[in-house]
């Protein structure tokens, strides 16, 4: 199986990042304005994008300030069944590092490169939103 991995340091406390990843306000502030459902433990949210197939994520693990895991239950291609795990930790420089692993893809999945690029874009939006509190969703 293939895993997409990203790291980004963010100049904000882990609790602010956790909220940006685990709440509807955070998701609409950095990801997409189109959400049906509610982010939260054991809940699902459908993230919608103009002109693209939506993704439905189940929030399977939410450890405040430190770790979050989402399971894709609906999405394009082979996305359903994959998991995205966000780990938050403090750096020596006083930032919060976000480590993201999105796993469950086959090694030959043709969407790997696109998905990898999209996560990089989304983490940039996460950093901007968490540091400024100014909504700027990556997608409509």
């Amino acid at each position: 199986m293939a895993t997409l991995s990203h790291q980004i340091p963010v100049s904000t406390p882990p609790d602010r990042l956790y909220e940006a990843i685990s709440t509807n306000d955070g998701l609409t502030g950095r990801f997409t304005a189109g959400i049906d459902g509610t982010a939260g433990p054991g809940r699902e949210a459908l993230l919608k994008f103009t002109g693209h197939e939506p993704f439905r994520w189940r929030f399977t693990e939410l450890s405040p300030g430190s770790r979050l895991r989402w399971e894709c239950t609906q999405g394009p291609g082979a996305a359903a069944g994959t998991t995205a795990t966000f780990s938050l930790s403090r750096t020596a420089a006083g930032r919060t590092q976000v480590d993201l692993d999105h796993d469950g893809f086959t090694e030959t999945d043709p969407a790997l490169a696109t998905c990898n690029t999209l996560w990089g874009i989304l983490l940039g939006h996460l950093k901007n939103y968490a540091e400024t509190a100014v909504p700027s969703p990556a997608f409509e």
Side-chain angles (χ1 to χ4, degrees), residues 69-80:
R69 180 171 287 149
W70 302 357
E71 178 184 344
C72 185
T73 62
Q74 174 189 340

Side-chain angles (χ1 to χ4, degrees), residues 62-86:
L62 295 158
S63 300
S66 63
R67 186 176 163 97
L68 304 96
R69 180 171 287 149
W70 302 357
E71 178 184 344
C72 185
T73 62
Q74 174 189 340
T82 63
T83 59
T85 303
F86 300 85

Side-chain angles (χ1 to χ4, degrees), residues 6 16 38 47 56 64 78 95 97 100 104-105 120 131 134 139:
H6 289 268
R16 175 73 183 127
T38 304
L47 306 179
R56 181 178 302 277
R95 294 180 176 176
Q97 181 164 302
L100 167 66
F105 295 98
E131 290 178 347
V134 175
F139 302 99

Side-chain angles (χ1 to χ4, degrees), residues 3-4 9 13 21 25 29 32 38-39 61 64 75 85 94 97 99 106 123-124 133-135 137:
T3 300
L4 305 176
I21 300 169
D25 286 345
T32 180
T38 304
E61 181 182 343
T85 303
Q97 181 164 302
D99 291 299
T106 62
L123 287 179
V134 175

Side-chain angles (χ1 to χ4, degrees), residues 31-117:
F31 206 141
T32 180
I35 296 179
D36 287 340
T38 304
R43 295 186 172 189
E44 290 190 6
L46 184 70
L47 306 179
K48 300 181 293 184
F49 314 96
T50 302
H52 300 282
E53 191 173 338
F55 285 84
R56 181 178 302 277
W57 292 95
R58 177 180 300 128
F59 302 89
T60 59
E61 181 182 343
L62 295 158
S63 300
S66 63
R67 186 176 163 97
L68 304 96
R69 180 171 287 149
W70 302 357
E71 178 184 344
C72 185
T73 62
Q74 174 189 340
T82 63
T83 59
T85 303
F86 300 85
S87 299
L88 310 177
S89 60
R90 294 298 277 179
T91 69
R95 294 180 176 176
T96 302
Q97 181 164 302
V98 179
D99 291 299
L100 167 66
D101 290 323
H102 189 175
D103 61 350
F105 295 98
T106 62
E107 297 284 339
T108 59
D109 191 319
L112 281 175
T114 300
C115 189
N116 193 48
T117 300

